[in-house]
Amino acid sequence: MESWRDVTCPIQRTAMLFADVYIIMILRDLATGQKRFTELQQAGINPRILSQRLKMLTREGVISRTRFVEKPPRVEYALTPKGLALMPILDALKTFGEKYLPLDDNASSSSSS
Amino acid sequence: MESWRDVTCPIQRTAMLFADVYIIMILRDLATGQKRFTELQQAGINPRILSQRLKMLTREGVISRTRFVEKPPRVEYALTPKGLALMPILDALKTFGEKYLPLDDNASSSSSS
DNA sequence: CCGTATCCGAAGGGATACTG
DNA sequence: CAGTATCCCTTCGGATACGG
């Protein structure tokens, strides 16, 4: 498919950039405050994918990368104002999921009769 | 990555199902009323992909498929109530796109000085 | 700690032709 | 009209090991 810049529909433009489950996971985790690389990995994203997505999100201006010159080195990722503007999308995903994708609660139960 | 059913976060569950640009394009087009297969193709989705996504969306209960026994055969796809519940997500995508992904307007202009 | 490099199999998707 | 089948190339991503 073409680049998002070649598309005029704002829905599709946004989707072409951010409709990716890894990106959404990262944004979700940053919604509660700045996070470090390792912390973001905990969500179950491998370092290669994570690095790649963080680069892209930084390039698009939705997250910031702050490098603290310490030992050991520390890097914090945080939402920018543009990134904050994506939060309504996550809210809508959440609302839908809670209502229409309820948990089956058959996960941890092994002793039910 | 695992199945969306193995995930508890409602944001991620929804994203794992619907964070796909083709799905979003289809939902966008159905938002304005029921559409036929060929009409949906006009958005620039090839028949293989379109068929695949329509099947999945039907299986998940967000669209309905109505077959009219005519000659030539006619099939109409439409949003279900569950599909309508996805509209806030598209609204949020649209709002973001309009504000933060403005058109570069260098596409069709060739005679501006 | 924060990534990057490499390997490699799996999946995705464009084009095209074809069938009920 | 509404899809399905096939081909084949590209991309993606999981795992792992390593470098600054």
Side-chain angles (χ1 to χ4, degrees):
Chain A
M1 191 176 292
E2 342 92 299
S3 158
W4 66 271
R5 294 181 187 278
D6 300 327
V7 172
T8 58
C9 168
I11 296 175
Q12 191 176 343
R13 284 165 77 85
T14 307
M16 289 176 81
L17 277 168
F18 304 114
D20 171 84
V21 69
Y22 299 103
I23 287 178
I24 291 165
M25 289 166 72
I26 293 168
L27 295 174
R28 173 200 60 191
D29 292 344
L30 292 182
T32 55
Q34 55 178 26
K35 296 276 179 304
R36 310 172 59 157
F37 192 90
T38 317
E39 292 179 287
L40 293 169
Q41 263 190 278
Q42 309 310 317
I45 311 178
N46 82 46
R48 200 179 60 91
I49 304 296
L50 180 57
S51 170
Q52 188 177 303
R53 297 300 194 278
L54 289 173
K55 268 202 180 64
M56 178 271 188
L57 291 171
T58 304
R59 187 179 348 112
E60 295 303 333
V62 301
I63 66 172
S64 62
R65 180 181 186 277
T66 308
R67 181 181 169 70
F68 295 85
V69 203
E70 304 176 358
K71 264 209 73 154
R74 184 160 62 101
V75 175
E76 298 272 8
Y77 292 94
L79 295 175
T80 63
K82 186 173 177 181
L84 274 171
L86 288 167
M87 294 301 101
I89 300 171
L90 298 216
D91 292 342
L93 291 171
K94 179 162 179 273
T95 299
F96 180 91
E98 288 176 343
K99 179 156 185 187
Y100 289 96
L101 307 174
L103 299 174
D104 300 343
D105 74 48
N106 53 1
S108 59
S109 67
S110 59
S111 59
S112 66
S113 63
Chain B
M1 193 176 294
E2 342 92 299
S3 158
W4 66 271
R5 293 181 188 279
D6 300 328
V7 172
T8 58
C9 169
I11 296 175
Q12 191 177 343
R13 284 165 77 86
T14 307
M16 289 175 80
L17 277 168
F18 304 114
D20 171 84
V21 70
Y22 300 104
I23 287 179
I24 291 165
M25 290 165 71
I26 293 168
L27 295 174
R28 174 199 61 191
D29 292 344
L30 292 181
T32 56
Q34 55 177 28
K35 296 276 178 308
R36 310 173 58 157
F37 193 89
T38 316
E39 292 179 287
L40 292 170
Q41 264 189 277
Q42 309 310 318
I45 310 180
N46 84 47
R48 200 179 59 90
I49 304 295
L50 179 58
S51 170
Q52 187 178 303
R53 296 299 195 278
L54 289 173
K55 268 202 178 67
M56 178 272 190
L57 291 172
T58 305
R59 186 180 347 114
E60 296 302 332
V62 300
I63 66 173
S64 63
R65 179 181 186 276
T66 309
R67 181 181 169 70
F68 294 86
V69 203
E70 304 174 356
K71 263 207 75 152
R74 184 161 62 100
V75 174
E76 297 273 9
Y77 292 95
L79 295 175
T80 63
K82 184 173 177 179
L84 274 172
L86 288 167
M87 293 301 102
I89 299 172
L90 298 216
D91 293 342
L93 291 171
K94 179 162 179 274
T95 299
F96 180 91
E98 288 175 342
K99 179 155 186 189
Y100 289 95
L101 306 174
L103 299 174
D104 299 343
D105 75 49
N106 54 0
S108 59
S109 66
S110 58
S111 60
S112 68
S113 63

